[in-house]
């Protein structure tokens, strides 16, 4: 039988998706179902003086309009923050509907329920809310300055949390430094924009108090647990189903105000209620990603070796701590050392409340920020020291023979060859040839050429319990699986993880088929319904294969152990001599002595008891849970070749190559797809997307007409290659792939653009690198001015 | 969101449409492709009480070359404009604009009449028709009248079209020998409104000097602008070297340039100059080949 | 008002409010939920269907405007048995991940190949510029359409 692992099998989920027969949450139709919509604050902070719903209530089809107070009996607890136990975190109450004060544009103030979409949209226009606008906190520096207005009036300041870390030798290393690179680097605000709008359908059966919820979520089990807690329902009376989910990128890893408010309305009214977001609501009510400022300084030797790094990081939480919002920069902290040898690190992270939409995980979650910082530093050091950016990286990259390597943040990199991925990438792109072309183009005038690198390592497979518990995170992030062999030999795998486009049904089938020696088509994978899946923590953090896949392996192994006993009984051999392959169980070394997989399945499930060893229970199924001992560490090298039109500032990516070591690749088709999508989201951050706010806390360009999600015309083809060092963290050897693109890609693109302009003296451009910004950087570099007054570097010494 | 409720009437002919407009007055809005109006209604930024659907008036969907002119019916879709051979030969800049306006689905539905009547300052046709010249014909209860293209746009989202009137046709002088036109759009992302759009129509003499030049821009101000100073800079000169540089330098002279966080005015001004120079060169190349 | 629209070859007839968008006619009146709604500004293209042979964004077309017309949706692409060449192409080339944009992509690609049966990669990208995908990065969608063209969609 041909190997199944590593085969580019077509996805098993696709037939329903390409024929329009899949069911997403908004496709759920229930008898008597009502439609909900939200009245949202048009102001950043505003006191809610009164809500007059009388006109709206009088409209045809309107069933109910509820504020926080109207549903007060339902709110048993505020919305969750998983990092609530961290002693240095302040966690002001965040209610599903604003209580007294709305804190950002889009903060839900009331839920309106009517018998149709049209009626509910008519009604929300007619709810009159009397707001008293309050001063807005928008800018991060201003938010932490003394005397700033406060986002939460009951807190002393706008600091959500602080996190500090310092190794012993930092100050000495800076004192000895030949050169110090200093910069302020910015992460703009990104809007996830999964193409499926968020949606929830809540159906409450009064007769027995059963609440059934369909939700576009990455975390059905967590949503069930929190819903029952927040609404005071017995856990066994809440069932959450994640049907087909149309993308998430972290944005559906959340317990949203609208989810809980819709459930409360359904319970209150005793009728099914559906809420489906309008796209415009994505821009103010779905959690955003990234925004932060990082003041960094790094000590280097003349030869380009980094000897210490200091980071002051203000990370924008927006108006509330969301489920994982404060933990996002902490994830970034974990990989601040990157793939580099430097072990001296000082990091001070502050979570900052502002009157903007809350932030939380967005593809990469913290690690793109850390990687951007490091990879910009490598290029800046090269430019300031007169070295090649590749040579600087080589000088700092941990060598294969130094692994396992424990970093300044306590991560132990357990497998990887960072130099090898760089070598592969350089060979593929003809680096010397590109440098020659760059030089000749600079001579010739016209479009300029730049090459940008990003050598990265990320921590995936969230997460080892020792890491979550030592950091006061509120859960250990295990995953689960049930494997059941049915009487025909068909295998059902039930995973606790919950995909939204990742192809679990295909990949997990391949793993089971490989281990059991059966056709992939005889394996089915079920997921997403809390009523019949073992508890799992969901799909995010590149964890489904690394953690969820390992749970499948373990459950599979248990079932196989039992099958071996039965086979050994039938074949009269030792169980440890029984092997699986070609749909049979056979004696190792004597393949003709075997029995069909289906026969063992039949025997165990239905067959004559005579075929079973004495005293053995019938049935063939096992459930397993896996909590990893270590993160997995995907790593690699991304290279971007960009052309810049110096007259207009337009950037065109000519070539993008990703060489990723994500460990063993189970399905290359799916793996490449993850790289392509991730890289394009990285390009989007580097060149296109941004949601700025004005001084009053109004978002600017908050629609798909202005917020520049790239189209097919705006991005290049992506070349993807894999280099494999198996991860020891799981039996599959996988490291995780969902986030490599966004983590590695953004600095590769930015570095390429700045490299193209380096001879003009351009060193920094804030993201996104839009034509106006690129043009301005060129112009100001040419006139000796600087668009970045704070962007200074200098020889030696240390800053304050 | 779902649009606010309205009454829907359909006109099978121009006369029927005029009768509906007369009946409903200010409450009525015309619906052609709907690609400007329906999104505004879905965002509840527009709430007309009556929509008069003129989308089926087939007599208004045509492209005809006649008597040295190119005539395009108001209900001709962008896709039809993009595809029409007569447009490609007689008014190439229009085909350029039609091919970069919105996306394929929008081009299937959106119409030239809707675009001209909506008079969005960022609309691509706005610059093209100003550069090509010509006229717009409208029908009202009192009969038909023709408006010179330079008098068409009266301000942001405002045209010479009177209440109760329907736009029937845009008519451009067809390109003669050694005449060429081009539209260049610079957008941040495909399908977006432009940061700058430049349309140029050039006629060259046998000696290679400009015998005529019309230049207009969209997306740069609160309405499309004709760049007469730039046109003057080209007059009687070969469209190359200093002449192009001088024309480009004054292309936004006297214009209050739009300023927004994603495209500051100084950049937009610079971009207009760069794009103007490039557009002149392309138009000249086309003129030489014509 | 009453509308009659032929959808995937079958005549449908419903009494509707004039403000009913074509996409909601398909989804809510006919129960054809394969056509999706992804935005409210006609940017994303998830709602793309063919109306009288042309790709349109059905969230920006009134059902009343389609009255008397013929609509083709993703459900009708392979109504008679095996998959259409484009569907096979998307499956084979991994041209989809979450699948939400896919029905609209397929319909836009259907128009693209009807107008240009042998497109270059650049022409494919141009033909799909009205359809946003957040998962695939488009590379495999381009491959999928190329495959379908080769098969003769």
């Amino acid at each position: 039988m041909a190997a199944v692992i590593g085969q580019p099998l077509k996805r098993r989920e696709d037939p329903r998706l390409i024929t329009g027969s899949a069911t997403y949450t908004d496709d759920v139709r229930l008898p008597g179902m009502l439609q909900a919509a939200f009245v949202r604050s048009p102001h950043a902070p505003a006191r809610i003086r009164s809500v007059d719903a009388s006109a709206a209530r009088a409209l045809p089809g309107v069933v109910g309009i509820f504020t926080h107070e109207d549903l007060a009996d339902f709110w048993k607890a505020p919305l969750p923050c998983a990092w609530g136990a961290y002693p240095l975190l302040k966690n002001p109450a965040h209610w599903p509907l604003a209580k007294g004060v709305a804190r950002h544009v889009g903060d839900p103030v009331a839920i309106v329920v009517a018998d149709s979409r049209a009626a509910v949209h008519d009604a929300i226009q007619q709810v009159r809310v009397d707001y008293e606008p309050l001063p807005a906190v928008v800018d991060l520096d201003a938010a932490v300055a003394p005397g700033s207005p406060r986002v939460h009036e009951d807190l002393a300041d706008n600091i959500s949390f602080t996190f500090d870390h310092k190794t012993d030798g930092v100050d000495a290393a800076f004192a000895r430094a030949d050169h110090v690179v200093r910069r302020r680097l910015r992460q703009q605000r990104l809007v996830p924009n999964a193409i499926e709008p968020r949606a929830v359908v809540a159906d409450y059966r009064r007769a027995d108090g059963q609440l059934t919820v369909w939700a576009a979520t990455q975390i059905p089990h967590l949503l069930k647990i929190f819903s029952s807690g927040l609404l005071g329902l017995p856990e066994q009376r809440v069932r959450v189903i994640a049907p087909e989910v149309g993308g998430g990128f972290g944005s559906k890893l959340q317990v949203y105000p609208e989810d809980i408010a819709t459930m409360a309305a359904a319970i209150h009214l005793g009728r099914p209620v559906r809420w489906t977001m309008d796209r415009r609501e994505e821009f103010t009510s779905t959690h955003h990603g990234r925004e932060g400022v990082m003041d960094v300084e790094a000590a280097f030797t003349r030869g380009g070796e980094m000897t210490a790094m200091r980071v002051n990081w203000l990370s924008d939480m927006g108006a509330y701590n969301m489920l994982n919002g404060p933990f996002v920069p902490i994830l970034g902290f974990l990989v601040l050392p990157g793939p580099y040898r430097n072990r001296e690190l000082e990091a001070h992270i502050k979570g900052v409340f502002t009157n903007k939409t809350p932030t939380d995980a967005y593809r990469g979650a913290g690690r793109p920020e850390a990687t951007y910082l490091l990879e910009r530093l490598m290029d800046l050091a090269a430019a300031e020291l007169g070295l090649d950016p590749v040579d600087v990286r080589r000088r700092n990259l941990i060598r294969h023979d130094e692994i396992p390597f424990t970093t300044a943040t306590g991560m132990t990199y357990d497998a990887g060859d960072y130099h090898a991925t760089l070598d592969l990438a350089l060979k593929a792109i003809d680096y010397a040839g590109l440098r020659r072309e760059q030089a000749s183009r600079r001579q010739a005038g016209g479009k300029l050429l730049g090459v940008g690198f990003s050598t990265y390592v990320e921590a995936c497979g969230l997460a080892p319990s020792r890491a979550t518990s030592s950091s006061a995170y509120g859960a250990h992030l295990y995953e689960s699986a049930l494997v059941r062999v049915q009487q025909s030999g068909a295998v059902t795998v039930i995973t606790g993880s919950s995909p939204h486009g990742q192809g679990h049904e295909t990949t997990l089938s391949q793993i089971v088929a490989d281990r059991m020696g059966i056709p992939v088509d005889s394996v089915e994978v079920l997921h997403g319904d809390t009523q019949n899946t073992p508890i799992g923590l969901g799909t995010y953090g590149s964890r489904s294969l690394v953690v969820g896949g390992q749970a499948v392996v373990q459950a599979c192994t248990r079932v196989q152990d039992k099958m071996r006993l039965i086979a050994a009984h039938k074949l009269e051999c030792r169980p440890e001599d029984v092997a699986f392959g070609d749909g049979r169980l056979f004696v190792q070394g004597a393949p003709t002595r075997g029995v069909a997989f289906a026969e063992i399945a039949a025997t165990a499930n239905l067959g004559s008891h005579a075929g079973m060893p004495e005293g053995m229970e019938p049935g063939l199924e096992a459930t397993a849970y896996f909590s990893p001992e270590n993160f997995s560490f995907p790593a690699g090298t991304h290279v971007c070749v960009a052309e810049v039109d110096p007259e207009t500032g337009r950037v065109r990516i000519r070539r993008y190559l990703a060489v990723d070591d994500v460990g063993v690749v189970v399905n290359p088709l799916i793996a490449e797809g993850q790289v392509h999508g991730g890289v394009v989201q990285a390009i989007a951050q580097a060149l296109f997307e941004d949601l700025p706010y004005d001084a009053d806390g109004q978002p600017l360009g908050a629609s798909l007409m202005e917020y520049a999600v790239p189209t097919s015309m705006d991005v290049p083809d992506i070349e993807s290659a894999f280099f494999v060092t198996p991860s020891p963290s799981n039996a599959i050897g996988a490291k995780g792939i969902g986030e490599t693109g966004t983590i590695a890609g953004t600095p590769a693109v930015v570095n390429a653009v700045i490299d193209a302009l380096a001879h003009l003296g351009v060193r920094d451009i804030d993201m996104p690198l839009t034509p106006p910004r690129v043009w301005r950087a060129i112009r100001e570099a040419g006139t000796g001015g600087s668009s970045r007054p704070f962007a200074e570097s200098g020889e030696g010494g240390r800053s304050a | 969101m779902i649009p606010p409720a309205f009454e829907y009437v359909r006109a099978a002919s121009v006369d029927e449409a005029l009768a509906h407009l007369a009946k409903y007055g200010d409450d009525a809005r015309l619906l052609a492709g709907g690609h400007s109006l329906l999104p505004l209604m879905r965002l509840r930024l527009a709430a007309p009480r009556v929509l008069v659907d003129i989308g089926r008036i087939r007599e208004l969907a045509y492209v005809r070359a006649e008597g040295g002119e190119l005539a395009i019916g108001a209900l001709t879709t962008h896709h039809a404009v993009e595809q029409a051979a007569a447009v490609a030969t007689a008014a190439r800049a229009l085909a350029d604009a039609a091919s970069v306006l919105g996306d394929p689905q929008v081009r299937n539905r959106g119409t030239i009449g809707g675009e001209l009547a909506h008079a969005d300052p960022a609309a691509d046709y706005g610059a093209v028709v100003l550069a090509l010249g010509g006229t717009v014909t409208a029908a009202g209860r009192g009969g038909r009248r023709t408006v010179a293209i330079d008098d068409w746009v009266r301000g942001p989202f405002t045209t010479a079209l009177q209440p109760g009137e329907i736009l029937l046709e845009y008519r451009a002088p067809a390109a003669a020998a050694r005449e060429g036109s081009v539209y260049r759009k610079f957008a941040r992302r495909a399908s977006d409104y432009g940061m700058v759009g430049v349309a140029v129509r050039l006629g060259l003499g046998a000696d290679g000097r400009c015998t005529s030049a019309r230049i207009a821009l969209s997306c740069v101000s609160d309405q499309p602008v004709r760049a007469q100073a730039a046109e003057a800079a080209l007059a009687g000169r070969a469209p190359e070297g200093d002449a192009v540089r001088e024309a480009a330098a004054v292309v936004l002279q006297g214009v209050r340039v739009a300023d927004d966080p994603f495209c500051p005015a100084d950049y937009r001004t610079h971009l207009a100059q760069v794009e103007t120079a490039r557009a002149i060169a392309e138009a000249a190349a086309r003129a030489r080949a014509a | 008002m009453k509308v009659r629209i032929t959808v995937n070859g079958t005549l449908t007839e419903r009494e509707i409010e004039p403000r009913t968008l074509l996409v909601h006619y398909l989804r809510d009146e006919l129960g054809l939920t394969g056509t999706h709604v992804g935005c409210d500004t006609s940017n994303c293209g998830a709602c793309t269907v063919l109306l009288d042979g042309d790709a349109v964004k059905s969230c920006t077309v009134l059902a009343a405007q389609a009255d008397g017309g013929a609509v083709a949706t993703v459900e009708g692409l392979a109504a008679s048995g095996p998959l259409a060449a484009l569907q096979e192409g998307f499956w084979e080339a991994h041209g989809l991940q979450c699948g939400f944009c896919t029905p609209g992509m397929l319909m836009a690609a259907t128009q693209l190949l009807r107008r240009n049966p042998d497109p270059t990669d650049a022409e494919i990208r141009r033909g799909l510029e009205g359809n946003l995908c957040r998962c695939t990065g488009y590379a495999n969608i381009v491959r999928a359409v190329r495959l379908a063209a080769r098969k003769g969609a």
Side-chain angles (χ1 to χ4, degrees), chain A residues 60-115:
Chain A
V62 173
V63 176
I65 299 172
F66 310 107
T67 62
H68 174 91
E69 288 71 25
D70 296 330
L71 295 174
D73 290 347
F74 285 92
W75 317 131
K76 305 300 184 207
L79 294 161
C81 174
W83 211 34
Y86 178 61
L88 301 180
L89 177 88
K90 286 170 281 187
N91 195 29
H94 179 197
W95 298 100
L97 298 171
K99 181 182 179 185
V101 176
R103 290 189 173 79
H104 63 90
V105 172
D107 213 354
V109 172
I111 180 171
V112 180
V113 183
D115 62 10

Side-chain angles (χ1 to χ4, degrees), chain A residues 117-118 121-122 124-125 278 280 645 647-648 650 688-689 692 700-701 704-709 711 713-714 770-772 775-776 779, chain B residues 1-5 39 42-44 185-193 195 261-268 270-271 274-275 278:
Chain A
R117 289 182 214 261
H121 291 160
D122 288 344
I124 55 172
Q125 307 282 306
D278 273 336
R280 69 196 169 94
D645 180 342
E647 288 196 303
T648 63
R650 161 92 76 203
F688 292 101
E689 298 179 16
L700 303 172
L704 275 182
M705 295 178 80
E706 293 133 305
Y707 185 88
V709 172
T711 75
M713 299 269 283
D714 301 308
T770 58
W775 168 76
R776 195 175 302 286
R779 195 179 64 157
Chain B
M1 282 201 285
I2 308 291
R42 290 191 68 198
L43 295 170
R44 302 223 169 201
K185 173 183 188 171
F186 190 99
R188 186 169 160 205
R189 160 181 75 148
S191 317
D192 275 0
Y193 283 121
M195 288 169 153
F262 302 106
C263 189
D266 62 344
Y267 174 74
R268 203 187 297 269
H270 165 81
L271 184 64
V274 171
E275 287 292 299
R278 291 175 180 183

